[in-house]
Amino acid sequence: MLATAAAAIALIFLQQAPAEDIDWDAEFGVEERERDPATGEFPVDPYEKSNANAGAEPFANGRLAAAFGGREGIRRIAERTVELSEADPRIAEIFVAHDTVRLKRTLSEQFCYLLGAGCDYTGRDMRATHDGLGIRTADLNALVENLQQAMREAGVPFAAQNRLLSKLAPMSGDVVER
Amino acid sequence: MRTPCVATGLMLAILSAQPAHADDLEWFEGGKLVLTNGVTTIEGTSGGGIATWATIAGLEMDNGVGVSGHATIIELPDYGWQSHGVAVGIANRVELSYARQNFDTRDVGTALGLGEGYVLNQDIFAAKLRLLGDVVYGDPLLPQVSLGVEYKRSLDGDVAAAVGAARAEGLDYTLSATKLFLSRSVLVNATARLTEANQNGLLGFGSAAGAGHSLQFEGSLGYQLSRRAVIGAEVRTKPDNLGLGEDDWFDLFAAYAVTDNITVTAAYVDLGSIATFEDQRGAFLSAQVAF
């Protein structure tokens, strides 16, 4: 036992230190991503933009949007939902490697479009955006609770909150992977 | 020297096995949206007050195990009801429950020749399996559907036999469909129950004259006032195997999730005629703790 440990320690010291001028990113093929200076978002692979990617038909008139404080109110609710989720120990891990600058914008667009507030949704579809995230229904519940808190803080009436959720809940099949 | 080596090896094995364990069941960690575990029925299953729903007890989702406990009292003009029990939910898929019902006949006990304050007792062991659908998610027109079986055992077989029941124990089968229509904040439940229970089984099962299982209906309508509050109404049809004028049941209920774990339910219930004593309308109070 002791001899093995001594041998291991000796091996560690016998190793040669690597040269100082090695570009490790190049060695391992790491590509550095840079945020767009104008939007603050990381670039994404090209895809076809369409409101159909929002995953549901919007409410026909803008009455509901007023209950959310219009476009500006909707944007704040979407951003707050993402912030609450990033700080939520149940689901924070899912957002660690995520471009939340872009997520806040696309989520806001999606809500705005679905609520009939006159935005276009420019993000990818729900299956593509959640692919590989390993999301469970319990994670979805945590996100719903954070969205509910954001809407509650914004003074959105409960029935109106449920109207938005009624557009989102049917998308669970494209989001939940396990 | 050998023991530490084995211990180290074991620790390494446990550590390296950790990733596989990460997907294992979580115990009592919660995860359901508030109120989507339902409250507890008089039979100990998850549902409304008198109607069994397709919901699964406990706060677990498909990655966990949940549990709930409840106590219920009903104050009626001539009778007093008390029931309590526990339920376990596994992966939001299977529900196993037990409830004990205690039905105090008070002064009626004397009139029926049972004796003052005679208490009818019953045990109910139940299992429920979620077959398909989700009460909240998925296709907005596809409800959560569950199949249930309840084994009921009256502890007063003599009384059951005296009033003309064929047996002191019996099986109920339920098929429930439950959906929360978010666009209207309305929860709808419909349950078909195959039963031969007389007054839920407290007066035994079937009749000596040959009455057996019949198909009965349970319906619930709820309106979500907030994340934590729901009000609604229920109806439950019942057979009249003994010819004692057994009535259908109705209730108006309000349920409130005081915390994510504690739900209290208050209801006005109309249980109709019980053992020939008419107009048994009164107050239903229930508390549920769930994890």
Side-chain angles (χ1 to χ4, degrees), chain A residues 34-47:
Chain A
E34 278 183 32
R35 289 186 184 274
D36 183 304
T39 63
E41 296 176 12
F42 287 116
V44 296
D45 292 335
Y47 59 92

Side-chain angles (χ1 to χ4, degrees), chain A residues 111-134:
Chain A
F111 290 176
C112 180
Y113 170 74
L114 293 175
L115 290 167
C119 303
D120 283 316
Y121 177 65
T122 65
R124 292 170 295 163
D125 68 35
M126 292 304 102
R127 191 173 288 275
T129 50
H130 296 87
D131 183 38
L133 294 179

Side-chain angles (χ1 to χ4, degrees), chain A residues 1 136-138 140-141 144-145 148 152 158-159 162-163 165-166 169-170 172 178, chain B residues 1 5 23 31-33 61-63 136-138 182-185 224-227:
Chain A
M1 188 72 179
R136 304 167 306 182
T137 315
L140 215 54
N141 284 352
V144 167
E145 285 179 2
Q148 285 178 320
R152 199 163 57 243
F158 187 73
N162 270 353
R163 299 277 278 169
L165 292 181
S166 76
S172 60
R178 61 191 176 113
Chain B
M1 288 309 276
C5 267
D23 274 347
K32 276 201 183 82
L33 290 168
M61 288 303 289
D62 41 18
N63 57 326
V136 178
Y137 296 113
L182 283 162
S183 61
R184 297 279 172 265
S185 298
Q224 237 190 330
L225 293 172
S226 77
R227 213 166 72 85

Side-chain angles (χ1 to χ4, degrees), chain B residues 50 65 99 101 184 192 221 251:
Chain B
I50 59 173
V65 175
Q101 300 175 338
R184 297 279 172 265
L221 264 182
D251 77 35

